[in-house]
Every structure is written in structure tokens, then in C-alpha cells.
């Protein structure tokens, strides 16, 4: 690191060359080993007990992490050198990004919060459109209220955050619905947008900014950016574009619909996600000719330390080079067949769509069940193919989907074509399992009713399995029954049900194959529950018998003590006097211990126990046990330790 700083003082262009030499030269293993030691320390010491899997940091990720440490070292340089160095880093990174993503004559703002760039750009537009804003402040907005237009498919909470940071009322935010008849249902309705703008102009409002999507957060659809740009120019609005599809601007072949994003006034990029770079800033590219307004809006800074935010990204871009950057983005898009349209794939399992005409309540149950099944499907796929990066996305009008978005996950997880093939294979295996489970739910319900009132069927639409049951007094035996069911030689999963389910004291059965015998499954649950319940009842009976035996033994011992007191006389009970009498004239104790035979449920004297002659003529315990206790269905009772001895207390002075 010291040699790297010396090179930075002399010639900034040689910095990355040093790192490249370390990655390929004799110091390569030393650099890699030091990074591995640091990563292991963080994982073992700082993140001990956290079950989430850490991101697999690649070579370019190492450069980004080193950039943060390097920025801390550089910040202690003298002010003049720091100013020259940070200015060079910022200008180079801005130039590379603008060239890479076809954004000519642009400036860059580097920020940690991916919404902060939009906030700063909007503040820039306010300063530009309201000339007296710098001196008058928010009071100047009262004459013409600014309006910000966003799509209904934009990021949730984005507009509210924008208004909160700018101090604007929510009435300044206008959410434009998406298409309902023509075009994609996730694209902004341009005709309706035009109508809304005209209505705002008629009421004395000022159309300020339009936020468009180049890849909606959910479905990955791109708005008609060319027409939106023309509309923005017509009404003198600022056009801001964001979305995952902006990454494809770096490719050699770009669709005309996405190429229109290069004509926007600003756009937000997330290269860290696209290239698998940890802890790298988000970048907002923008075009504006007045540097004073950019400074007032916070898009530029006179503090050199602020410019060091670009250093990790600067190092990573230098290390990767143009060809590798394009290669990584192209690899992510080729994992989807129709990558030119949208590199995002959505799919879901739905029985509500094929159910036909059903009642409203039944339709709600089917929708809730579909949600549970799709969450289960995503969990299973993520577990079976962890490098696929699938997740669940909820679309407002279309419901719950499983999403495969390689532009956001492939670089981080290292997704390959084989992973996609494995994903498709596992999906084809899980779908028949889900179909058979849903088809057998009614059979499971009928079989459970057949065992009523021993078993009760539980209707829980949020459970993706075959169903749930409740047994009489299940709360007492639920844990033991669940353990026995989980030990069965079967692939069926038994659990306590959904985490936030409304039913308690129930056992839920997971997904089943079509060849499962539902009748036998329910019989097994009922039989095991009955055996556990009978065993518990036997233990309760034994407890009661033992309790009564103890009370009877205590009573007999108390009566024996009273008889002893009468037999020996009062003098023998007095201190010293009793000892003298016992010494001159010993008395044989007449108190006998008591033995409780659990098998025979009888209380006897211990005299027979200690008499050899009596023991020889005493019947065996097994012979004296009642026939009802000798054998129980499904359970063996061990009587070998069923005798309790109660020995009287002997007090001596």
C-alpha cells in the first residue's frame, strides 16, 4: 500500500498497473492471502452467529474493497496534492462512465443512497426554473406549484421520499397510471400523461420533472422513452431515467427504445450490482451548463474528500477494462433468451386463472393459496439452485411472481448457463408436485372428516401443502406427535404451519406426490395420535395410583407410630430416661416398612421383602399384574422397576 501511495504522488496512471502486477506477479498470492485473512476475520469474529451467506468477493470486488482503504490513506495528503488527485479521479471516472453508457457531455454525481442523485437533480431543476429560489426560498413556489410526474410502476416510496427531502407537499407528486388497453401494462400511459400535464397548466401549476423507467423494479419493462423525451421537450420538463436495463447501453447492440435514454437530462446507474462490486457508489449522470447551480444543488462539491467516493469505482473500472465490463453485462443478458426485449423473467404458479367462474370468497382463497405456493416455489428453487438468485416480486395488479433478474444477481452470485438449465430442470420437477398437492387437498379433507371427532380438518389457504389437522387435546401431545411424524420414512414434510398463521395447536402436512395414499396418510396420523394419547392416559393413571399409595403408606406409618407409643409407654419417649430404659430393657420395634407394588397396585409390609422364606413363596410381579397393564396396543410397559419402598423414620438419642 505504501508503494501504491508513492506512485499516486508521482503518476496516477501507474496505480492500477501496480495492482495488476500484484495480481499476476510474484506478490499475487500475498495480496490474495491478505484479503482472504481479512475476509475470514470479518466472517468469524465480527459476523459470528449470523446465518446469512456472505457475498463471494471476486477479483474486481477486491479492488473495490481496496479502494475504500486507499481513500482513507489518500485523505491525509496535503491539500494541494489531494485536490489534484481527487479532481483527476473524478474526471476520469466521469469520462469513462459517460463513454461506456453512451451519455455524451455528461457530468457525474456519486452517492451511496440510490435515491440521493434524483433528489439532487430535482433540487437543481428547482433552482433553474425558479430564479428567485436561492433568495426567496420555498415562498417562491407558492406562485406556481411544481409538479413531479412518476409512473405507477416506479419504485415504491420513491416519490414520497423525493417530496420529503425537498420539503414539497405530496400534492406536488402526480402518479401516472400505466397502459390499460394498448401496450405493456407496466409502461406509463403517455396519452393520459399529456392530459394530466395540460390540466396542471390550466390550474397554474408548473410541470417540473418526469421520472421514467428503463426496466421497472418489478417486471423490468421500459417506458416509451423516445415519446416521453419529446413530451418533456414540449412542456420544458426535466426527464430522469432509471432502471436495470440501462446496463445494456454498454453493449454493442442496443434497442432503439432503450437508446432514447441517452437523450434524457439525467439517469441513475448502479454499476455495483451489474458488475458484482461490493460497497460501490451509485452514479447519477446529468447534463447542465451552469456549474453554480450544480454546486447549489449539491451535485458538485469543493471538498476534495467528497470526490474520493469515486475511488473504489475508479479502481474497479481500471482493473476490469472496457472489454471485461461489456463481457459481464453481455453474459448476464444472454442468460435470458429474449434479452433484447427485457433481461428479466417473471413466472408464477396460478390456479385462480384457470378456476373459471367462482364466488368472491372462493376466489380470495385461491389467490391467497397462489401467493403461498409461489413463495414456496421460490424458496425451493433458491435452495436447490442458490446461484440462480431468484426472488419474489409482488406486482400491484398481477399478484405474486418468482423473478429471475440476472443483471442484478449474475455478477454477484456467479450465475452460469448451467445454473439456468438446473433452474429449469428443478422447476419442471416442482410444478407436478404442486399440482398433485392441490388436487389431493379435497381428498385429504374428506379423509380427515372420516376420522372426526378424533381429527379436525384445518382450512388454511396460506399453507402451500396438502392441509392441516387438529387432534383432540393436541396441545398436550402435539410436540411428541410431530416428532414421530417427522421420523417416518417419507419425503413428506410435517410442521406446525405458517409462521404467521391464524391456527394454533395444529399439525400441517406439506406437499405430496400423486402416488401418495391419502387414506393411509390420515390413518397413520390418527393412529400415532391415539397411541400417544393412550400412553399419556396410562401415565396419568399410574401417577394417580402412586399418589394414593403414598398417602396410604404415610397413614399406615403414622398409625404404627401411635401404636408404638402406646406399647412402649410414655417414659421411653422422654430424653435420657428413654435411653436408660432402652439400654436396660431393649424393645424390639414393631413398625414395619411398606412396599408399594405398582403392577399389582397394592401396599404391603416389607417384612416379606426381607424374609427369605417369604420371598421363596411369593408370586412373581408379572403374575400379579392386571391383564390390562400387561399389554397395550403399540406400547410395551416395563414393570421391572415398579416397587417403591417406604422405610419408617427411626429416631434415636
Amino acid at each position: 500500500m505504501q508503494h501504491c501511495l508513492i506512485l499516486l504522488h508521482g503518476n496516477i496512471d501507474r496505480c492500477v498497473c501496480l495492482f495488476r502486477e500484484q495480481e499476476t506477479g510474484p506478490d499475487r498470492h500475498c495480496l490474495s492471502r491478505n484479503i482472504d485473512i481479512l475476509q475470514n476475520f470479518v466472517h468469524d469474529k465480527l459476523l459470528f452467529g449470523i446465518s446469512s451467506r456472505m457475498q463471494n468477493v471476486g477479483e474486481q470486488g477486491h479492488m473495490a474493497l481496496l479502494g475504500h482503504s486507499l481513500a482513507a490513506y489518500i485523505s491525509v495528503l496535503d491539500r494541494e496534492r489531494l485536490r489534484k488527485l481527487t479532481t483527476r479521479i473524478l474526471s476520469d471516472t466521469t469520462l469513462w462512465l459517460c463513454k461506456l453508457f453512451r451519455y455524451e457531455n455528461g457530468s457525474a454525481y456519486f452517492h451511496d443512497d440510490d435515491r440521493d442523485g434524483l433528489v439532487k437533480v430535482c433540487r437543481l431543476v428547482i433552482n433553474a426554473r425558479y430564479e428567485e429560489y436561492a433568495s426567496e426560498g420555498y415562498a417562491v413556489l407558492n406562485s406556481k406549484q411544481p409538479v413531479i410526474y412518476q409512473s405507477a410502476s416506479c419504485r415504491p416510496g420513491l416519490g414520497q421520499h423525493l417530496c420529503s427531502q425537498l420539503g414539497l407537499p405530496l400534492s406536488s407528486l402526480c402518479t401516472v397510471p400505466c397502459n390499460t388497453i394498448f401496450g405493456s401494462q407496466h409502461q406509463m400511459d403517455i396519452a393520459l400523461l399529456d392530459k394530466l400535464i395540460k390540466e396542471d397548466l390550466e390550474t397554474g401549476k408548473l410541470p417540473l420533472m418526469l421520472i421514467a423507467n428503463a426496466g421497472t423494479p418489478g417486471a423490468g419493462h421500459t417506458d416509451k422513452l423516445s415519446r416521453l423525451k419529446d413530451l418533456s421537450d414540449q412542456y420544458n420538463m426535466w426527464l430522469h431515467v432509471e432502471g436495470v436495463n440501462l446496463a445494456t447501453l454498454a453493449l454493442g447492440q442496443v434497442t432503439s427504445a432503450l437508446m432514447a435514454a441517452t437523450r434524457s437530462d439525467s439517469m441513475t446507474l448502479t454499476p455495483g450490482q451489474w458488475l458484482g462490486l461490493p460497497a460501490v457508489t451509485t452514479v447519477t449522470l446529468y447534463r447542465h451548463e451552469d456549474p453554480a447551480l450544480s454546486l447549489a444543488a449539491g451535485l458538485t462539491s469543493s471538498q476534495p474528500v467528497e470526490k474520493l467516493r469515486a475511488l473504489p469505482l475508479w479502481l474497479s473500472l481500471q482493473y476490469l477494462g472496457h472489454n471485461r465490463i461489456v463481457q459481464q453485462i453481455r453474459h448476464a443478458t444472454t442468460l435470458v433468451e429474449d434479452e433484447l426485449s427485457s433481461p428479466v423473467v417473471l413466472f408464477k404458479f396460478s390456479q385462480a386463472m384457470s378456476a373459471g367462474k367462482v364466488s368472491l370468497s372462493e376466489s380470495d382463497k385461491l389467490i391467497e393459496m397462489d401467493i403461498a405456493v409461489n413463495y414456496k416455489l421460490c424458496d425451493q428453487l433458491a435452495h436447490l439452485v442458490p446461484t440462480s438468485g431468484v426472488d419474489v416480486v409482488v406486482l400491484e395488479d398481477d399478484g405474486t411472481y418468482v423473478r429471475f433478474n440476472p443483471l442484478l444477481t449474475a455478477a454477484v452470485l456467479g450465475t452460469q448457463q448451467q445454473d439456468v438449465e438446473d433452474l429449469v430442470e428443478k422447476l419442471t420437477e416442482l410444478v407436478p408436485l404442486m399440482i398433485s398437492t392441490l388436487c389431493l387437498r379435497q381428498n385429504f379433507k374428506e379423509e380427515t372428516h372420516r376420522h372426526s371427532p378424533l381429527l379436525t380438518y384445518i382450512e388454511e389457504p396460506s399453507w402451500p401443502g396438502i392441509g392441516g389437522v387438529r387432534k383432540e387435546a393436541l396441545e398436550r401431545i402435539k410436540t411428541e406427535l410431530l416428532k414421530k411424524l417427522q421420523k417416518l420414512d417419507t419425503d413428506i414434510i410435517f410442521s406446525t404451519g405458517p409462521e404467521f398463521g391464524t391456527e394454533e395447536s395444529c399439525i400441517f402436512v406439506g406437499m405430496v406426490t400423486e402416488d401418495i395414499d391419502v387414506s393411509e396418510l390420515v390413518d397413520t396420523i390418527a393412529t400415532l395420535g391415539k397411541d400417544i394419547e393412550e400412553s399419556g392416559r396410562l401415565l396419568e393413571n399410574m401417577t394417580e395410583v402412586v399418589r394414593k399409595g403414598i398417602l396410604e403408606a404415610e397413614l399406615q406409618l403414622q398409625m404404627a407410630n401411635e401404636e408404638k407409643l402406646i406399647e412402649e409407654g410414655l417414659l421411653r419417649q422422654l430424653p435420657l430416661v428413654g435411653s436408660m430404659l432402652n439400654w436396660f430393657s431393649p424393645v424390639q420395634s414393631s413398625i414395619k416398612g411398606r412396599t408399594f407394588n405398582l403392577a399389582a397396585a397394592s401396599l404391603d409390609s416389607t417384612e416379606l421383602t426381607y424374609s427369605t422364606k417369604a420371598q421363596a413363596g411369593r408370586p412373581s410381579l408379572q403374575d400379579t399384574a392386571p391383564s390390562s397393564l400387561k399389554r397395550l396396543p403399540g406400547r410395551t410397559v416395563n414393570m421391572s422397576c415398579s416397587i417403591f419402598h417406604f422405610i419408617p423414620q427411626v429416631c434415636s438419642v
Side-chain angles (χ1 to χ4, degrees), residues 388-582:
S388 64
V390 293
D391 60 354
V392 173
V393 61
V394 180
L395 304 181
E396 183 176 358
D397 297 326
D398 299 323
T400 305
Y401 283 83
V402 181
R403 178 178 63 176
F404 175 62
N405 192 350
L407 274 175
L408 293 181
T409 60
V412 175
L413 300 177
T415 311
Q416 301 298 325
Q417 187 63 39
Q418 182 60 44
D419 299 320
V420 179
E421 296 176 2
D422 293 341
L423 181 66
V424 175
E425 179 182 353
K426 298 302 179 183
L427 182 61
T428 55
E429 295 175 359
L430 289 173
V431 169
L433 181 64
M434 294 179 174
I435 294 176
S436 62
T437 298
L438 297 177
C439 291
L440 293 174
R441 284 178 73 103
Q442 184 62 30
N443 294 350
F444 183 81
K445 181 178 181 180
E446 295 174 356
E447 289 295 330
T448 305
H449 288 330
R450 187 170 59 86
H451 288 78
S452 179
L454 185 62
L455 295 179
T456 304
Y457 178 77
I458 302 302
E459 186 75 29
E460 182 60 61
S462 62
W463 175 247
I466 194 173
V469 295
R470 178 189 288 117
K471 193 181 182 305
E472 292 180 328
L474 181 61
E475 182 61 31
R476 181 170 52 84
I477 66 173
K478 179 181 69 174
T479 303
E480 187 173 354
L481 177 57
L482 187 58
K483 289 181 180 179
K484 286 185 175 294
L485 290 172
Q486 291 173 343
K487 290 180 181 179
L488 294 176
D489 186 15
T490 178
D491 295 332
I492 303 175
I493 297 177
F494 300 91
S495 71
T496 55
E499 182 178 0
F500 302 103
T502 58
E503 299 291 343
E504 298 180 356
S505 303
C506 302
I507 291 181
F508 287 85
V509 186
M511 295 186 178
V512 296
T513 57
E514 60 181 357
D515 58 348
I516 190 70
D517 190 336
V518 178
S519 177
E520 182 180 352
L521 173 63
V522 178
D523 289 343
T524 302
I525 298 175
T527 302
L528 289 176
K530 185 177 180 180
D531 291 345
I532 296 173
E533 190 173 0
E534 289 181 353
S535 299
R537 191 178 297 113
L538 173 62
L539 292 177
E540 289 179 356
N541 293 337
M542 288 183 178
T543 303
E544 183 64 21
V545 170
V546 171
R547 187 184 68 83
K548 291 182 178 180
I550 292 175
L551 293 177
E552 184 179 353
E554 291 178 348
L555 181 60
Q556 291 185 12
L557 291 176
Q558 183 180 359
M559 293 174 61
N561 284 328
E562 293 176 354
E563 292 175 357
K564 177 185 176 183
L565 179 62
I566 297 174
E567 179 183 347
E568 295 180 354
L570 183 60
L571 289 177
R572 289 184 182 273
Q573 312 305 319
L574 296 176
L576 297 179
V577 177
S579 300
M580 293 293 293
L581 289 176
N582 290 333

Side-chain angles (χ1 to χ4, degrees), residues 189-298:
D189 191 332
I190 298 180
L192 183 56
L193 171 63
D194 190 12
K195 179 182 177 181
L196 292 173
I197 294 175
K198 292 178 179 178
E199 292 177 353
D200 289 334
L201 288 173
E202 293 175 356
T203 56
K205 296 180 179 181
L206 177 65
L208 187 70
M209 172 181 283
L210 173 61
I211 306 173
N213 290 307
T216 55
H221 288 206
T222 300
D223 289 324
K224 297 178 180 179
L225 300 178
S226 180
R227 294 185 59 187
L228 291 178
K229 177 57 180 174
D230 295 339
L231 198 64
S232 299
D233 293 340
Q234 177 183 347
Y235 294 105
N236 194 23
M237 291 189 303
W238 184 283
L239 177 62
H240 178 83
V241 181
E242 61 178 22
V244 65
N245 293 347
L246 291 175
T248 59
L249 289 173
L251 302 179
Q253 184 179 2
V254 183
T255 62
S256 58
L258 192 60
M259 185 63 74
T262 60
R263 298 169 48 207
S264 64
D265 298 295
S266 61
M267 61 182 183
T268 297
L269 310 175
T270 55
Q273 293 178 328
W274 304 337
L275 304 176
L277 305 176
V280 166
T281 59
T282 304
V283 184
T284 295
L285 302 179
Y286 65 97
R287 296 190 184 97
H288 199 267
E289 299 177 354
D290 192 341
L293 292 182
S294 299
L295 181 63

Side-chain angles (χ1 to χ4, degrees), residues 63-313:
M63 300 305 301
L65 295 176
L66 286 174
H68 289 277
S69 300
L70 188 59
Y73 281 101
I74 294 176
S75 63
V76 300
L77 297 177
D78 63 85
R79 187 172 182 82
E80 182 61 23
R81 286 185 175 181
L82 180 62
R83 184 188 62 80
K84 292 181 179 179
L85 181 60
T86 55
T87 301
R88 176 67 180 275
I89 292 173
L90 185 65
S91 61
D92 283 353
T93 310
T94 301
L95 179 62
W96 297 336
L97 290 173
C98 290
K99 182 179 180 180
L100 183 64
F101 295 100
R102 307 170 186 264
Y103 199 81
E104 298 179 357
N105 302 322
S107 301
Y109 172 61
F110 301 87
H111 48 96
D112 296 322
D113 190 333
D114 56 3
R115 302 169 298 182
D116 194 36
L118 179 59
V119 173
K120 295 294 194 298
V121 165
C122 192
R123 186 173 285 121
L124 168 66
V125 181
I126 292 177
N127 278 277
R129 297 297 301 275
Y130 295 89
E131 297 180 358
E132 299 179 355
Y133 179 77
S135 58
E136 300 293 334
Y138 289 103
V140 74
L141 303 180
N142 295 330
S143 58
K144 281 189 175 182
Q145 181 181 357
V147 182
I148 302 172
Y149 302 91
Q150 67 171 4
S151 170
S153 296
C154 74
R155 285 186 287 169
L158 178 63
Q160 290 78 359
H161 175 79
L162 191 59
C163 291
S164 174
Q165 295 298 311
L166 297 173
L168 298 176
L170 290 179
S171 58
S172 294
L173 180 65
C174 179
T175 301
V176 183
C178 296
N179 296 320
T180 56
I181 301 178
F182 302 104
S184 168
Q185 295 182 356
H186 302 279
Q187 291 179 333
M188 188 184 302
D189 191 332
I190 298 180
L192 183 56
L193 171 63
D194 190 12
K195 179 182 177 181
L196 292 173
I197 294 175
K198 292 178 179 178
E199 292 177 353
D200 289 334
L201 288 173
E202 293 175 356
T203 56
K205 296 180 179 181
L206 177 65
L208 187 70
M209 172 181 283
L210 173 61
I211 306 173
N213 290 307
T216 55
H221 288 206
T222 300
D223 289 324
K224 297 178 180 179
L225 300 178
S226 180
R227 294 185 59 187
L228 291 178
K229 177 57 180 174
D230 295 339
L231 198 64
S232 299
D233 293 340
Q234 177 183 347
Y235 294 105
N236 194 23
M237 291 189 303
W238 184 283
L239 177 62
H240 178 83
V241 181
E242 61 178 22
V244 65
N245 293 347
L246 291 175
T248 59
L249 289 173
L251 302 179
Q253 184 179 2
V254 183
T255 62
S256 58
L258 192 60
M259 185 63 74
T262 60
R263 298 169 48 207
S264 64
D265 298 295
S266 61
M267 61 182 183
T268 297
L269 310 175
T270 55
Q273 293 178 328
W274 304 337
L275 304 176
L277 305 176
V280 166
T281 59
T282 304
V283 184
T284 295
L285 302 179
Y286 65 97
R287 296 190 184 97
H288 199 267
E289 299 177 354
D290 192 341
L293 292 182
S294 299
L295 181 63
L299 289 168
T300 57
S301 175
S302 59
Q303 299 296 325
V305 177
E306 292 292 328
K307 301 177 182 179
L308 285 176
R309 290 181 180 176
L311 181 57
L313 183 58

